[in-house]
Amino acid sequence: MKILLVEDEEKLAEALKRGLEMSGYTVDIISDGRKALTRISLHRNDYDVVILDLMLPSMDGHEICKEMRANDITVPILVLTARAETDTKVELLLSGADDYLVKPFSFAELSARVQALLRRPSGSLPQILYAGDITLNPATREATREGRELPLTLKEFGLLEYFMRHPNTVVNREDLLSHLWDFNYVGFSNVVDVHIKNLRRKLDGEKGDGILETVRGVGYRLRV
Ligand code: CA
């Protein structure tokens, strides 16, 4: 799950990024309003949630919300606001934000709101994901195969969740990189292969049936 955090208070932004990363999210930070809108417009499918500060340089949060919705960008938006006036809240919801938090807030509160937004568009999806004999619980970060618990790292867990949301589909490295690594990541795409290899080994256990296939020259597929 990938989050775009638009916040110009550097310390707050860094603290939130750290906290969210500890919870298993991938986070990009942008501090400028107009740059944020450009990023969202060009990479609308990369983000699962946008956390948006209201007072920003060059373009404020209201305008960004309105522009996003006017361009049919449906990613959930959580606004951070320092103002508590009722009319601001109404305005925010009218401009297309899904929810808002008044500063100062606790990290637990932010985390709960983000989780609620991630569930909203997929309200009909079960909380626990099933694919063949694999189960994955995003809330508790537990995954099992045939009832055997899989000791996954955060990245492996993120990869498995992505595959379980796209079963029997060929997923390429670029999709995985853009969903699970932030844009400051400078490395080689073979980092994906390394994590896939480890995930595959853990999934296979003694069964060794290669449920996570390599599709030569294209990517990977979870075959269930
Ligand atoms: Ca601000």
Side-chain angles (χ1 to χ4, degrees):
M1 289 295 186
K2 191 164 186 175
I3 295 176
L4 179 65
L5 174 58
V6 188
E7 170 61 77
D8 59 329
E9 283 171 54
E10 208 175 313
K11 278 186 183 160
L12 176 62
E14 286 299 332
L16 294 180
K17 179 179 164 90
R18 270 197 304 280
L20 290 165
E21 284 177 345
M22 298 273 283
S23 313
Y25 299 105
T26 303
V27 181
D28 285 337
I29 299 175
I30 293 183
S31 58
D32 177 86
R34 202 163 287 282
K35 282 184 186 155
L37 183 61
T38 303
R39 175 86 200 164
I40 296 161
S41 304
L42 295 176
H43 301 271
R44 60 175 70 195
N45 296 322
D46 283 4
Y47 297 105
D48 300 291
V49 172
V50 173
I51 300 176
L52 189 61
D53 184 31
L54 212 50
M55 302 296 280
L56 291 164
S58 84
M59 186 178 215
D60 74 24
H62 281 293
E63 279 182 79
I64 295 173
C65 273
K66 281 187 205 153
E67 283 292 319
M68 283 173 66
R69 296 318 189 212
N71 290 299
D72 295 327
I73 298 171
T74 56
V75 53
I77 303 171
L78 171 63
V79 162
L80 307 180
T81 170
R83 315 175 200 153
E85 299 91 346
T86 321
D87 56 341
T88 305
K89 292 175 187 174
V90 173
E91 251 177 73
L92 276 173
L93 298 174
L94 285 177
S95 64
D98 295 275
D99 201 359
Y100 58 88
L101 263 181
V102 178
K103 290 178 182 177
F105 50 82
S106 70
F107 182 75
E109 213 175 340
L110 176 86
S111 178
R113 301 293 180 97
V114 167
Q115 275 187 38
L117 287 179
L118 285 169
R119 282 195 203 110
R120 184 182 293 175
S122 50
S124 57
L125 287 177
Q127 213 165 319
I128 297 175
L129 304 177
Y130 298 91
D133 52 12
I134 305 170
T135 68
L136 180 143
N137 185 336
T140 61
R141 307 209 73 80
E142 285 169 336
T144 67
R145 181 157 192 213
E146 292 183 320
R148 166 177 61 92
E149 194 165 326
L150 303 171
L152 304 180
T153 64
L154 279 180
K155 274 292 189 254
E156 290 159 5
F157 192 91
L159 283 169
L160 182 59
E161 181 173 357
Y162 193 83
F163 282 113
M164 290 181 74
R165 291 187 188 277
H166 305 87
N168 299 311
T169 306
V170 179
V171 175
N172 64 40
R173 280 182 194 76
E174 288 66 38
D175 285 338
L176 296 171
L177 274 174
S178 66
H179 277 88
L180 292 157
W181 275 266
D182 68 46
F183 64 36
N184 291 320
Y185 175 74
V186 279
F188 299 98
S189 67
N190 71 2
V191 69
V192 174
D193 303 65
V194 172
H195 287 280
I196 292 275
K197 203 175 141 194
N198 292 332
L199 173 60
R200 179 181 288 143
R201 182 171 45 78
K202 291 176 185 177
L203 280 173
D204 280 358
E206 288 173 4
K207 215 170 173 186
D209 60 345
I211 192 171
L212 186 56
E213 299 174 330
T214 298
V215 182
R216 197 176 287 270
V218 189
Y220 306 97
R221 174 172 52 210
L222 184 69
R223 183 184 38 78
V224 292

